[in-house]
Amino acid sequence: MLLAKVRLLVAAIWAGSLWTVGYLVAPTLFASLDRVLAGSIAGLMFHAEAMLSLGCGAAMGVLLFFGTRDWTPKRRRSVLLIVVAMVMCTVASHFGIQPMMAAAKASGDGSFGKLHGISSTIYLVQSLLAAWLLVRQT
């Protein structure tokens, strides 16, 4: 029972942080500050979000292993797949796309917008997976 509540709490923190940073904080920064400063702060926020996502993914993995003995194997597997997909979104975006975005921004080669669009799409997918993760907890 306690592990189920902790699992739900971790899923809620993960989902809530994704939604808050991506859909509240970042747009507010760009609406309130100049683009360079807003981009710098948003970059720091998205880095912190990526680290939190990796931590939540690891915690969910442990909690799924130890705290779902009463679940069917199919349910456990489906939730694990959601968690893995969310972690892979973080890895692909933060360690793959973000460095390319930084290089594109520095070189001014014009690919930043395309890379930003790819990154935003991955973030949207991860955000939708987070909603699904919360639904699968109950």
Side-chain angles (χ1 to χ4, degrees):
M1 183 69 151
L2 177 62
L3 290 180
K5 289 179 181 181
V6 172
R7 191 179 60 247
L8 181 59
L9 178 63
V10 171
I13 289 169
W14 195 359
S17 67
L18 282 166
W19 300 335
T20 302
V21 170
Y23 305 112
L24 181 65
V25 173
T28 302
L29 289 172
F30 282 96
S32 305
L33 304 171
D34 70 86
R35 294 189 66 75
V36 174
L37 181 58
S40 295
I41 296 170
L44 292 171
M45 296 294 295
F46 281 113
H47 173 75
E49 176 58 42
M51 297 303 106
L52 180 67
S53 287
L54 294 176
C56 287
M60 287 298 292
V62 170
L63 290 165
L64 287 171
F65 184 78
F66 290 108
T68 57
R69 304 263 186 233
D70 57 333
W71 285 14
T72 65
K74 181 179 178 183
R75 182 178 181 199
R76 188 178 303 114
R77 191 171 39 254
S78 71
V79 173
L80 181 60
L81 286 174
I82 296 167
V83 169
V84 168
M86 288 178 69
V87 169
M88 293 310 297
C89 285
T90 297
V91 169
S93 183
H94 189 69
F95 298 105
I97 304 297
Q98 294 299 334
M100 291 190 293
M101 286 173 60
K105 190 175 184 181
S107 72
D109 69 2
S111 63
F112 178 83
K114 180 181 176 183
L115 292 168
H116 187 274
I118 293 168
S119 178
S120 295
T121 301
I122 293 170
Y123 200 87
L124 175 62
V125 168
Q126 187 178 25
S127 298
L128 294 172
L129 287 168
W132 193 15
L133 178 64
L134 284 171
V135 169
R136 294 293 292 162
Q137 296 303 307
T138 57

